Amino acid sequence: MRLDVAFDLGFTLCCGQVFRWKKIGGWWYGVVGESVFKVRQCGSELEFVNVDEVFVRHYFGLNDDLEEISSCINKDDYIGKALRKFAGLRIVRQNPWECLISFICATYKSIAAIEQMLQRLSVKFGEKMMFDGLDFYRFPSVERLALASESGLRECGLGYRAKYVQVTAQKICHEKINLEGLKELSYLEARKVLLGFAGVGLKVADCVLLFSLEKLEAFPVDVWVKRAILNHYAEKFPADLVKKMQRHDSLTNGEYLKISEFARAYFGKYAGYAQEYLYHYERTQR
DNA sequence: CGTGGGCCTGTCTA
DNA sequence: ATAGACAGGCCCA
């Protein structure tokens, strides 16, 4: 298909939002929902196999008006540079369940380790599929993980996260919680529900809200975004707060809320997009 | 309400 | 090689 909007597949899939896409022989392979598809980009030409255009447009956020979003969040030179460097980066619309479990697993782990955990989880508890002569695994269902033992989950390398995944899966299963339905709630209402799950704090909740529940105002603050804010937006905060935040690596809930609420006020309703650009820019600055 | 300490384990670096 | 630091935080006291 011929792209009529700015899009960069590599930026969008690399590092951070999604963990199960793999580049093999020039194609990106992904398991989304029940099936596998592959996609590659050459300039403004986007090719995909085993999936239709409607899904591709939705999944890769091609329906977001990125021009409007960019001009909306382009508040200063620093984010301006990030917007130019990663032009075409978009926010993916993931499955909320997979996204929730992914970010529960993501705490205190490097991206390589997160990919490893989710792969092992899918191999052990998901269904196998063949595509292009390669093996792929569906992400395990809610029901399957609700039945998993803590030790079985630990075998996938989850460590202390095993209990969180088990308890969260059981809660969603037994209480028949409809995660997709959270899209209909406001940002704050949906966040409140997510914070009720084991292993979900403000950071994990914001990732799920942004990457799977279409809450583009969510502004996840991880160590990289914290660094970006302290290095380039420190003058927006009281000096004593900046000093306090520099002393510790992680954030208290209070500090987290101060940063993310500043970001929503400053960047506006698309603060989540600003977060993605700042995150990638900060990570590549060293 | 704010704060400090502990936590599983895979990667990466020295 | 092998240890040690660090990793997209959360929970509990």
Side-chain angles (χ1 to χ4, degrees), chain A residues 35-205:
Chain A
S35 56
V36 193
F37 69 92
K38 65 177 178 181
V39 54
R40 70 178 173 187
Q41 179 175 23
C42 188
S44 61
E45 194 59 33
L46 193 67
E47 283 183 84
F48 39 85
V49 175
N50 209 32
V51 63
D52 64 37
E53 180 174 332
V54 172
F55 187 85
V56 165
R57 281 190 182 278
H58 175 258
Y59 184 79
F60 291 113
L62 298 177
N63 300 324
D64 287 347
D65 187 345
L66 194 52
E67 265 185 66
E68 156 72 7
I69 291 169
S70 298
S71 68
C72 203
I73 61 180
N74 191 4
K75 301 288 188 190
D76 55 72
D77 289 347
Y78 187 71
I79 184 117
K81 275 191 276 185
L83 283 166
R84 281 193 294 281
K85 178 158 183 183
F86 293 107
L89 187 163
R90 287 172 181 268
I91 289 174
V92 168
R93 295 331 192 249
Q94 299 180 45
N95 171 272
W97 157 248
E98 177 170 347
C99 190
L100 174 63
I101 296 303
S102 297
F103 282 94
I104 287 175
C105 290
T107 71
Y108 215 60
K109 276 287 184 189
S110 61
I111 287 173
I114 300 163
E115 292 170 349
Q116 168 85 341
M117 280 188 285
L118 295 175
Q119 175 65 16
R120 287 162 72 174
L121 204 57
S122 301
V123 169
K124 189 174 169 77
F125 297 106
E127 292 148 46
K128 184 173 166 179
M129 292 176 294
M130 292 284 285
F131 183 62
D132 276 1
L134 301 164
D135 289 347
F136 293 92
Y137 297 84
R138 287 180 189 149
F139 193 77
S141 66
V142 176
E143 295 73 23
R144 186 66 192 86
L145 290 191
L147 289 172
S149 66
E150 185 184 343
S151 60
L153 293 167
R154 277 178 180 265
E155 285 168 19
C156 301
L158 298 200
Y160 64 84
R161 303 163 194 80
K163 194 71 196 171
Y164 300 153
V165 167
Q166 183 192 39
V167 169
T168 294
Q170 288 173 352
K171 178 171 180 176
I172 293 171
C173 194
H174 297 155
E175 298 179 19
K176 299 192 188 338
I177 294 170
N178 174 17
L179 292 175
E180 292 279 353
L182 298 181
K183 287 179 187 169
E184 310 307 320
L185 302 181
S186 70
Y187 166 70
L188 286 177
E189 288 170 332
R191 185 174 77 179
K192 195 186 297 175
V193 175
L194 292 173
L195 291 175
F197 293 125
V200 179
L202 290 168
K203 160 65 170 58
V204 172

Side-chain angles (χ1 to χ4, degrees), chain A residues 227-246:
Chain A
R227 283 170 197 155
I229 294 287
L230 289 179
N231 290 338
H232 307 284
Y233 297 90
E235 78 278 4
K236 309 284 188 185
F237 298 89
D240 57 333
L241 177 63
V242 172
K243 270 191 182 153
K244 228 177 61 178
M245 290 196 287
Q246 279 165 340

Side-chain angles (χ1 to χ4, degrees), chain A residues 1-3 5-9 40-46:
Chain A
M1 118 183 169
R2 188 117 196 120
L3 285 164
V5 294
F7 178 56
D8 190 301
L9 180 66
R40 70 178 173 187
Q41 179 175 23
C42 188
S44 61
E45 194 59 33
L46 193 67

